[in-house]
Each structure stands twice: as C-alpha cells, then as structure tokens.
Amino acid sequence: SNSIGLFIGLTNFNGLWAYDRTCPTCESLQAMDFTGNRQQVACPKCHRTYDLETGSIVSGNDGNPLLRYYCSFDGTVIHAWN
C-alpha cells in the first residue's frame, strides 16, 4: 500500500524522529492514522493509540512501542535508518 511508510517530525524533547506507520503490536500492515490532536496515531485494527513524542501506547491493550528510526536532515534530504 502507498499509505505504509514513516511518520517523521520533531519532538519537544527528542529532536528529529521517525516511526513506522504500521502497528508494532498487531502487525496489521495497515497504515495508522493521526487522531484529532496530531500528536497521536491510532491503529485501525487493534485500536491502540500511540504517542508520537515517546512512541508509547497511551490507550488500548499492552503491546510494543512504535519502532523508532534514527534521523538526520542535511538541509535538502531527510535520512531515516535503523
């Protein structure tokens, strides 16, 4: 699916970050979507909600945190790797 990819952005405390856009717990391979506040994302299959500041689950059953990638920006290109 073209909707599977990464969430990339700046956090208040951790700087530039990237997270997988698929749920790390249910591995549904469906893209998670932003919730109303744009600081959290939710899985459409298991309904867990994740915080984009920390990658942790903020609502729903226990599970794995979001998979975080290292990031850098060279002024032109954003690089993300693990």
Side-chain angles (χ1 to χ4, degrees):
S1 165
N2 288 335
S3 63
I4 296 174
L6 299 173
F7 292 109
I8 299 175
L10 290 170
T11 66
N12 292 317
F13 306 107
N14 298 315
L16 187 63
W17 54 263
Y19 291 115
D20 258 347
R21 194 168 175 197
T22 58
C23 180
T25 302
C26 74
E27 299 175 1
S28 66
L29 296 180
Q30 295 179 10
M32 290 190 288
D33 293 315
F34 285 103
T35 63
N37 67 14
R38 309 285 280 172
Q39 295 173 340
Q40 298 176 348
V41 293
C43 176
K45 183 175 180 184
C46 69
H47 307 290
R48 288 176 180 87
T49 301
Y50 294 87
D51 180 80
L52 291 175
E53 183 75 41
T54 64
S56 62
I57 296 172
V58 293
S59 72
N61 295 330
D62 289 343
N64 299 317
L66 292 175
L67 178 60
R68 186 174 181 161
Y69 292 86
Y70 297 103
C71 282
S72 66
F73 179 61
D74 67 11
T76 305
V77 177
I78 296 173
H79 303 270
W81 69 96
N82 62 359

Coordinates of all heavy atoms in Angstrom, one line a residue:
S1 N 0.8 -1.2 0.0 CA 0.0 0.0 0.0 C 0.9 1.2 0.0 O 1.9 1.3 0.7 CB -0.9 0.0 1.2 OG -1.5 1.2 1.4
N2 N 0.5 2.3 -0.7 CA 1.2 3.5 -0.7 C 1.1 4.3 0.6 O 1.9 5.2 0.8 CB 0.8 4.4 -1.9 CG 1.2 3.9 -3.2 OD1 2.2 3.1 -3.3 ND2 0.5 4.2 -4.3
S3 N 0.2 3.9 1.4 CA 0.0 4.6 2.7 C 0.9 4.1 3.8 O 1.0 4.7 4.8 CB -1.5 4.5 3.1 OG -1.8 3.2 3.4
I4 N 1.6 3.0 3.6 CA 2.5 2.5 4.6 C 3.9 3.2 4.4 O 4.4 3.3 3.3 CB 2.7 1.0 4.5 CG1 1.4 0.3 4.8 CG2 3.8 0.5 5.4 CD1 1.4 -1.2 4.6
G5 N 4.4 3.7 5.5 CA 5.7 4.4 5.4 C 6.2 4.8 6.8 O 6.1 4.0 7.7
L6 N 6.5 6.0 6.9 CA 7.0 6.5 8.2 C 6.3 7.8 8.6 O 5.9 8.6 7.8 CB 8.5 6.9 8.1 CG 9.5 5.8 7.7 CD1 10.9 6.3 7.5 CD2 9.5 4.7 8.8
F7 N 6.2 8.0 9.9 CA 5.9 9.3 10.5 C 7.2 10.0 10.8 O 8.0 9.4 11.5 CB 5.1 9.2 11.8 CG 3.7 8.6 11.6 CD1 3.4 7.3 12.1 CD2 2.7 9.3 11.1 CE1 2.1 6.8 12.0 CE2 1.4 8.8 10.9 CZ 1.1 7.6 11.4
I8 N 7.4 11.2 10.3 CA 8.7 11.9 10.5 C 8.3 13.3 11.1 O 7.5 13.9 10.5 CB 9.5 12.0 9.3 CG1 9.9 10.6 8.7 CG2 10.8 12.9 9.5 CD1 10.6 10.6 7.4
G9 N 9.0 13.7 12.1 CA 8.8 15.0 12.7 C 9.7 15.4 13.8 O 10.7 14.7 14.1
L10 N 9.5 16.5 14.4 CA 10.2 17.0 15.5 C 9.5 16.8 16.8 O 8.3 17.1 16.9 CB 10.6 18.5 15.3 CG 11.6 18.8 14.2 CD1 11.6 20.3 14.0 CD2 12.9 18.3 14.6
T11 N 10.1 16.3 17.9 CA 9.5 16.2 19.2 C 10.0 17.4 20.0 O 11.0 18.1 19.7 CB 9.8 14.9 19.9 OG1 11.2 14.9 20.1 CG2 9.5 13.7 19.0
N12 N 9.3 17.6 21.1 CA 9.7 18.7 22.1 C 11.0 18.4 22.8 O 11.8 19.3 23.1 CB 8.6 18.9 23.1 CG 7.4 19.5 22.5 OD1 7.5 20.4 21.7 ND2 6.2 19.0 22.9
F13 N 11.3 17.1 23.0 CA 12.5 16.7 23.8 C 13.5 15.9 23.1 O 14.6 15.8 23.5 CB 12.0 16.0 25.1 CG 11.0 16.7 25.9 CD1 9.7 16.3 25.9 CD2 11.4 17.9 26.6 CE1 8.7 17.0 26.6 CE2 10.4 18.6 27.3 CZ 9.1 18.2 27.3
N14 N 13.1 15.2 22.0 CA 14.0 14.2 21.4 C 14.4 14.7 20.0 O 15.1 13.9 19.3 CB 13.3 12.9 21.3 CG 13.0 12.3 22.7 OD1 13.9 12.3 23.6 ND2 11.8 11.8 22.9
G15 N 14.1 15.8 19.5 CA 14.5 16.3 18.2 C 13.8 15.6 17.1 O 12.7 15.1 17.2
L16 N 14.6 15.4 16.0 CA 14.0 14.8 14.8 C 13.9 13.3 15.0 O 14.8 12.6 15.6 CB 15.0 15.0 13.6 CG 14.5 14.6 12.2 CD1 13.3 15.3 11.8 CD2 15.7 14.8 11.2
W17 N 12.8 12.7 14.6 CA 12.5 11.3 14.8 C 11.7 10.8 13.6 O 11.2 11.5 12.8 CB 11.6 11.1 16.1 CG 10.3 12.0 16.1 CD1 10.2 13.2 16.7 CD2 9.1 11.7 15.4 NE1 8.9 13.7 16.4 CE2 8.3 12.8 15.6 CE3 8.7 10.7 14.6 CZ2 7.0 12.8 15.1 CZ3 7.4 10.7 14.1 CH2 6.6 11.8 14.3
A18 N 11.7 9.4 13.5 CA 10.8 8.7 12.6 C 10.3 7.5 13.2 O 11.0 6.8 14.0 CB 11.6 8.4 11.3
Y19 N 9.1 7.1 13.0 CA 8.5 5.9 13.4 C 7.8 5.2 12.3 O 7.3 5.8 11.3 CB 7.4 6.2 14.5 CG 7.8 6.7 15.8 CD1 7.4 8.0 16.2 CD2 8.6 6.0 16.7 CE1 7.9 8.5 17.4 CE2 9.0 6.5 17.9 CZ 8.6 7.7 18.3 OH 9.0 8.2 19.5
D20 N 7.8 3.8 12.3 CA 7.0 3.0 11.4 C 5.5 3.5 11.4 O 5.0 3.8 12.5 CB 7.0 1.6 11.7 CG 8.0 0.8 10.8 OD1 8.4 1.3 9.8 OD2 8.3 -0.4 11.2
R21 N 4.9 3.5 10.3 CA 3.5 3.8 10.2 C 2.5 2.7 10.5 O 1.3 2.8 10.5 CB 3.2 4.5 8.9 CG 1.8 5.2 8.9 CD 1.6 6.1 7.8 NE 0.3 6.7 7.8 CZ -0.4 7.2 6.8 NH1 0.2 7.4 5.7 NH2 -1.6 7.7 7.0
T22 N 3.1 1.4 10.6 CA 2.3 0.3 10.9 C 2.4 -0.1 12.4 O 3.3 0.2 13.0 CB 2.7 -0.9 10.0 OG1 4.1 -1.2 10.3 CG2 2.5 -0.7 8.6
C23 N 1.3 -0.7 12.9 CA 1.2 -1.0 14.3 C 2.3 -2.1 14.6 O 2.3 -3.1 14.0 CB -0.2 -1.5 14.6 SG -0.4 -2.0 16.4
P24 N 3.1 -1.8 15.6 CA 4.2 -2.8 16.0 C 3.6 -4.0 16.8 O 4.3 -5.0 17.0 CB 5.1 -2.0 16.9 CG 4.2 -1.0 17.5 CD 3.2 -0.6 16.5
T25 N 2.4 -3.9 17.3 CA 1.9 -5.0 18.1 C 1.0 -6.0 17.3 O 1.2 -7.2 17.3 CB 1.0 -4.4 19.3 OG1 1.9 -3.5 20.0 CG2 0.5 -5.5 20.2
C26 N 0.1 -5.5 16.5 CA -0.8 -6.4 15.8 C -0.3 -6.7 14.4 O -0.8 -7.6 13.7 CB -2.3 -5.8 15.7 SG -2.5 -4.5 14.6
E27 N 0.7 -5.9 13.9 CA 1.3 -6.1 12.6 C 0.3 -6.3 11.5 O 0.3 -7.2 10.7 CB 2.3 -7.3 12.7 CG 3.4 -7.1 13.7 CD 4.3 -8.3 13.8 OE1 4.1 -9.3 13.2 OE2 5.2 -8.2 14.6
S28 N -0.7 -5.4 11.5 CA -1.8 -5.4 10.6 C -1.4 -5.0 9.2 O -2.1 -5.3 8.2 CB -2.9 -4.6 11.1 OG -2.6 -3.2 11.0
L29 N -0.2 -4.4 9.0 CA 0.2 -3.9 7.7 C -0.8 -2.9 7.1 O -0.9 -2.7 5.9 CB 0.5 -5.0 6.7 CG 1.7 -5.9 7.1 CD1 2.0 -6.9 6.1 CD2 3.0 -5.0 7.4
Q30 N -1.6 -2.3 8.0 CA -2.5 -1.2 7.7 C -1.9 0.1 8.3 O -1.4 0.1 9.4 CB -3.9 -1.4 8.2 CG -4.6 -2.6 7.6 CD -6.0 -2.8 8.2 OE1 -6.5 -1.9 8.9 NE2 -6.6 -3.9 7.9
A31 N -1.9 1.1 7.5 CA -1.4 2.4 8.0 C -2.2 2.9 9.2 O -3.4 2.9 9.1 CB -1.4 3.4 6.9
M32 N -1.5 3.4 10.2 CA -2.1 4.1 11.3 C -2.4 5.5 10.9 O -1.8 6.0 10.0 CB -1.2 4.1 12.5 CG -1.0 2.7 13.1 SD -0.2 2.7 14.7 CE 1.5 3.1 14.2
D33 N -3.4 6.1 11.5 CA -3.9 7.4 11.2 C -3.7 8.3 12.3 O -3.8 7.9 13.5 CB -5.3 7.4 10.7 CG -5.5 6.7 9.4 OD1 -4.7 6.9 8.5 OD2 -6.5 5.9 9.3
F34 N -3.5 9.6 12.1 CA -3.5 10.6 13.1 C -4.8 10.7 13.8 O -5.9 10.5 13.2 CB -3.2 12.0 12.6 CG -1.7 12.2 12.2 CD1 -1.4 12.2 10.8 CD2 -0.8 12.4 13.1 CE1 -0.1 12.3 10.5 CE2 0.6 12.6 12.8 CZ 0.9 12.6 11.4
T35 N -4.8 10.9 15.1 CA -6.0 11.2 15.9 C -6.3 12.7 15.7 O -5.6 13.4 15.0 CB -5.9 10.8 17.4 OG1 -4.8 11.6 17.9 CG2 -5.5 9.4 17.5
G36 N -7.3 13.2 16.4 CA -7.7 14.6 16.3 C -6.6 15.6 16.7 O -6.6 16.7 16.1
N37 N -5.7 15.2 17.6 CA -4.7 16.2 18.0 C -3.4 16.2 17.3 O -2.5 17.0 17.6 CB -4.5 16.1 19.5 CG -3.8 14.8 19.9 OD1 -3.2 14.1 19.0 ND2 -3.8 14.4 21.2
R38 N -3.2 15.3 16.3 CA -2.0 15.2 15.5 C -0.7 14.9 16.3 O 0.4 15.0 15.8 CB -1.8 16.5 14.7 CG -2.9 16.9 13.9 CD -3.2 16.1 12.7 NE -2.3 16.5 11.6 CZ -2.2 15.8 10.5 NH1 -3.0 14.7 10.3 NH2 -1.4 16.1 9.5
Q39 N -0.8 14.6 17.6 CA 0.3 14.2 18.4 C 0.2 12.7 18.7 O 1.1 12.2 19.4 CB 0.4 15.0 19.7 CG 0.6 16.4 19.5 CD 0.5 17.3 20.7 OE1 -0.1 16.8 21.7 NE2 1.1 18.4 20.7
Q40 N -0.9 12.1 18.3 CA -1.1 10.6 18.5 C -1.6 10.0 17.2 O -2.2 10.7 16.4 CB -2.1 10.4 19.6 CG -1.6 11.0 21.0 CD -2.7 10.8 22.0 OE1 -3.8 10.5 21.8 NE2 -2.3 11.0 23.3
V41 N -1.3 8.7 17.1 CA -1.8 7.9 16.0 C -2.5 6.7 16.5 O -2.2 6.2 17.6 CB -0.6 7.5 15.0 CG1 0.0 8.7 14.3 CG2 0.5 6.7 15.7
A42 N -3.4 6.2 15.7 CA -4.2 5.0 16.2 C -4.2 3.9 15.1 O -4.2 4.2 13.9 CB -5.6 5.4 16.5
C43 N -4.2 2.7 15.6 CA -4.2 1.5 14.7 C -5.7 1.2 14.4 O -6.5 1.0 15.3 CB -3.6 0.3 15.3 SG -3.7 -1.2 14.3
P44 N -6.1 1.1 13.1 CA -7.5 0.8 12.7 C -7.9 -0.6 13.1 O -9.1 -0.9 13.2 CB -7.5 1.1 11.2 CG -6.1 0.8 10.8 CD -5.2 1.3 11.9
K45 N -6.9 -1.5 13.3 CA -7.3 -2.9 13.6 C -7.4 -3.2 15.1 O -8.4 -3.7 15.5 CB -6.3 -3.9 13.0 CG -6.6 -5.3 13.2 CD -5.6 -6.2 12.4 CE -6.0 -7.7 12.7 NZ -5.0 -8.6 12.1
C46 N -6.4 -2.9 15.9 CA -6.4 -3.2 17.3 C -6.9 -2.0 18.2 O -7.1 -2.2 19.3 CB -5.0 -3.7 17.7 SG -3.8 -2.4 17.8
H47 N -7.0 -0.8 17.6 CA -7.5 0.4 18.2 C -6.5 0.9 19.4 O -7.0 1.7 20.2 CB -8.9 0.2 18.8 CG -9.8 -0.3 17.7 ND1 -10.2 0.5 16.7 CD2 -10.4 -1.5 17.5 CE1 -11.0 -0.2 15.9 NE2 -11.1 -1.4 16.3
R48 N -5.3 0.5 19.3 CA -4.3 1.1 20.3 C -4.0 2.5 19.8 O -3.9 2.7 18.6 CB -3.0 0.3 20.3 CG -3.1 -1.0 21.1 CD -1.8 -1.8 21.0 NE -1.9 -3.1 21.7 CZ -2.3 -4.2 21.1 NH1 -2.7 -4.2 19.8 NH2 -2.4 -5.3 21.8
T49 N -3.7 3.4 20.7 CA -3.3 4.7 20.4 C -1.9 4.9 20.9 O -1.6 4.6 22.0 CB -4.2 5.8 21.0 OG1 -5.6 5.5 20.5 CG2 -3.8 7.2 20.6
Y50 N -1.0 5.5 20.0 CA 0.4 5.7 20.3 C 0.7 7.2 20.4 O 0.2 8.0 19.5 CB 1.3 5.0 19.3 CG 1.2 3.6 19.2 CD1 0.2 2.9 18.5 CD2 2.1 2.8 20.0 CE1 0.1 1.5 18.4 CE2 2.0 1.4 19.9 CZ 1.0 0.8 19.2 OH 0.9 -0.6 19.1
D51 N 1.6 7.6 21.3 CA 2.0 9.0 21.4 C 3.3 9.2 20.5 O 4.2 8.4 20.6 CB 2.4 9.2 22.9 CG 2.9 10.6 23.1 OD1 2.0 11.5 23.2 OD2 4.1 10.8 23.1
L52 N 3.2 10.2 19.7 CA 4.4 10.4 18.8 C 5.5 11.1 19.4 O 6.6 11.2 18.8 CB 3.9 11.2 17.5 CG 3.0 10.5 16.6 CD1 2.5 11.4 15.5 CD2 3.7 9.3 16.0
E53 N 5.4 11.6 20.6 CA 6.5 12.2 21.4 C 7.4 11.1 21.9 O 8.6 11.2 21.8 CB 6.0 13.0 22.5 CG 7.0 13.7 23.3 CD 7.7 14.9 22.6 OE1 6.9 15.7 22.0 OE2 8.9 15.1 22.7
T54 N 6.8 10.0 22.4 CA 7.6 8.9 23.1 C 7.5 7.6 22.4 O 8.3 6.7 22.6 CB 7.1 8.7 24.5 OG1 5.7 8.3 24.4 CG2 7.2 10.0 25.3
G55 N 6.5 7.4 21.5 CA 6.3 6.1 20.9 C 5.6 5.1 21.7 O 5.4 4.0 21.3
S56 N 5.1 5.5 22.9 CA 4.5 4.5 23.8 C 3.0 4.5 23.6 O 2.4 5.4 23.0 CB 4.8 4.9 25.2 OG 4.2 6.2 25.5
I57 N 2.4 3.4 24.0 CA 0.9 3.2 24.0 C 0.3 4.1 25.0 O 0.6 4.1 26.2 CB 0.5 1.8 24.2 CG1 1.1 0.9 23.1 CG2 -1.0 1.6 24.2 CD1 0.9 -0.6 23.3
V58 N -0.7 4.9 24.6 CA -1.4 5.8 25.5 C -2.9 5.3 25.8 O -3.5 5.7 26.8 CB -1.4 7.3 25.1 CG1 0.0 7.8 25.1 CG2 -2.0 7.4 23.7
S59 N -3.4 4.4 24.9 CA -4.7 3.8 25.2 C -4.8 2.5 24.4 O -4.2 2.4 23.4 CB -5.9 4.7 24.9 OG -6.0 4.9 23.5
G60 N -5.5 1.6 25.0 CA -5.6 0.2 24.4 C -4.8 -0.8 25.2 O -4.2 -0.4 26.3
N61 N -4.8 -2.0 24.8 CA -4.1 -3.1 25.5 C -2.6 -2.9 25.5 O -2.1 -2.2 24.6 CB -4.5 -4.4 24.9 CG -6.0 -4.8 25.0 OD1 -6.6 -4.4 26.0 ND2 -6.5 -5.5 24.1
D62 N -2.0 -3.6 26.4 CA -0.5 -3.5 26.4 C 0.0 -4.1 25.1 O -0.6 -4.9 24.4 CB 0.1 -4.4 27.5 CG -0.1 -3.8 28.9 OD1 -0.4 -2.5 29.0 OD2 0.0 -4.5 29.9
G63 N 1.2 -3.6 24.7 CA 1.8 -4.1 23.5 C 3.2 -3.4 23.3 O 3.8 -2.9 24.2
N64 N 3.7 -3.5 22.1 CA 5.0 -2.9 21.8 C 5.0 -1.5 21.5 O 4.0 -1.0 20.9 CB 5.6 -3.7 20.6 CG 5.8 -5.1 20.8 OD1 6.2 -5.6 21.9 ND2 5.4 -5.9 19.8
P65 N 6.0 -0.7 21.8 CA 6.1 0.7 21.4 C 6.3 0.8 19.9 O 6.7 -0.1 19.3 CB 7.2 1.3 22.3 CG 8.1 0.1 22.5 CD 7.2 -1.1 22.6
L66 N 6.1 2.0 19.4 CA 6.4 2.3 18.0 C 7.9 2.0 17.7 O 8.7 2.3 18.5 CB 6.1 3.7 17.6 CG 4.6 4.1 17.6 CD1 4.4 5.6 17.3 CD2 3.8 3.3 16.6
L67 N 8.2 1.5 16.5 CA 9.6 1.3 16.1 C 10.1 2.6 15.7 O 9.7 3.2 14.7 CB 9.6 0.2 15.0 CG 11.0 -0.1 14.4 CD1 11.9 -0.6 15.5 CD2 10.9 -1.0 13.2
R68 N 11.2 3.0 16.4 CA 11.8 4.3 16.1 C 13.0 4.2 15.2 O 13.8 3.2 15.3 CB 12.2 4.9 17.4 CG 12.7 6.3 17.3 CD 13.0 7.0 18.6 NE 13.4 8.3 18.3 CZ 13.4 9.3 19.2 NH1 12.9 9.0 20.4 NH2 13.8 10.5 18.9
Y69 N 13.2 5.1 14.3 CA 14.3 5.2 13.4 C 15.2 6.4 13.8 O 14.7 7.5 14.2 CB 13.9 5.3 12.0 CG 13.2 4.1 11.5 CD1 11.8 3.9 11.7 CD2 13.9 3.1 10.8 CE1 11.2 2.8 11.2 CE2 13.2 2.0 10.3 CZ 11.9 1.8 10.5 OH 11.2 0.7 10.0
Y70 N 16.5 6.3 13.6 CA 17.4 7.4 13.6 C 17.1 8.3 12.4 O 16.7 7.9 11.4 CB 18.8 7.0 13.6 CG 19.2 6.1 14.8 CD1 19.4 4.8 14.6 CD2 19.5 6.7 16.0 CE1 19.8 4.0 15.6 CE2 19.9 5.9 17.1 CZ 20.0 4.5 16.9 OH 20.4 3.7 17.9
C71 N 17.2 9.6 12.6 CA 17.0 10.6 11.5 C 18.1 11.7 11.5 O 18.6 12.0 12.5 CB 15.7 11.3 11.7 SG 14.3 10.3 11.2
S72 N 18.3 12.2 10.3 CA 19.1 13.4 10.2 C 18.5 14.2 9.0 O 17.9 13.6 8.1 CB 20.6 13.0 9.9 OG 20.8 12.4 8.7
F73 N 18.9 15.4 9.0 CA 18.4 16.3 7.9 C 19.7 17.1 7.4 O 20.3 17.8 8.2 CB 17.3 17.3 8.3 CG 16.8 18.2 7.3 CD1 16.3 17.8 6.1 CD2 16.9 19.6 7.5 CE1 15.9 18.6 5.1 CE2 16.5 20.5 6.5 CZ 16.0 20.0 5.3
D74 N 20.0 17.0 6.1 CA 21.2 17.7 5.7 C 20.9 19.0 5.0 O 21.8 19.6 4.3 CB 22.0 16.8 4.7 CG 21.3 16.5 3.4 OD1 20.3 17.1 3.1 OD2 21.8 15.5 2.7
G75 N 19.7 19.5 5.2 CA 19.3 20.8 4.5 C 18.5 20.6 3.3 O 17.8 21.5 2.8
T76 N 18.6 19.4 2.7 CA 17.9 19.1 1.5 C 17.1 17.8 1.6 O 15.9 17.7 1.2 CB 18.8 18.9 0.3 OG1 19.6 20.1 0.1 CG2 18.1 18.7 -1.0
V77 N 17.7 16.8 2.2 CA 17.2 15.4 2.3 C 17.1 15.0 3.8 O 18.0 15.2 4.6 CB 18.0 14.4 1.5 CG1 17.5 13.0 1.7 CG2 18.2 14.8 0.1
I78 N 15.9 14.3 4.1 CA 15.8 13.7 5.4 C 16.2 12.3 5.3 O 15.7 11.5 4.4 CB 14.3 13.8 5.9 CG1 13.9 15.2 6.2 CG2 14.2 12.9 7.2 CD1 12.4 15.3 6.5
H79 N 17.1 11.8 6.1 CA 17.6 10.4 6.1 C 17.0 9.7 7.3 O 17.0 10.3 8.4 CB 19.1 10.4 6.2 CG 19.8 11.1 5.1 ND1 20.1 10.5 3.9 CD2 20.2 12.4 5.0 CE1 20.7 11.4 3.1 NE2 20.7 12.6 3.7
A80 N 16.5 8.5 7.2 CA 15.9 7.7 8.3 C 16.5 6.3 8.1 O 16.5 5.7 7.0 CB 14.4 7.7 8.2
W81 N 17.0 5.7 9.2 CA 17.6 4.4 9.2 C 17.5 3.8 10.6 O 17.2 4.4 11.6 CB 19.1 4.5 8.8 CG 20.0 5.1 9.8 CD1 20.8 4.5 10.7 CD2 20.2 6.5 9.9 NE1 21.5 5.5 11.4 CE2 21.1 6.7 11.0 CE3 19.7 7.7 9.3 CZ2 21.6 7.9 11.4 CZ3 20.2 8.9 9.7 CH2 21.1 9.0 10.8
N82 N 17.8 2.5 10.6 CA 17.8 1.8 11.9 C 19.0 0.9 12.0 O 19.8 0.9 11.2 CB 16.5 1.0 12.2 CG 16.3 -0.1 11.2 OD1 17.0 -0.3 10.3 ND2 15.2 -0.8 11.4

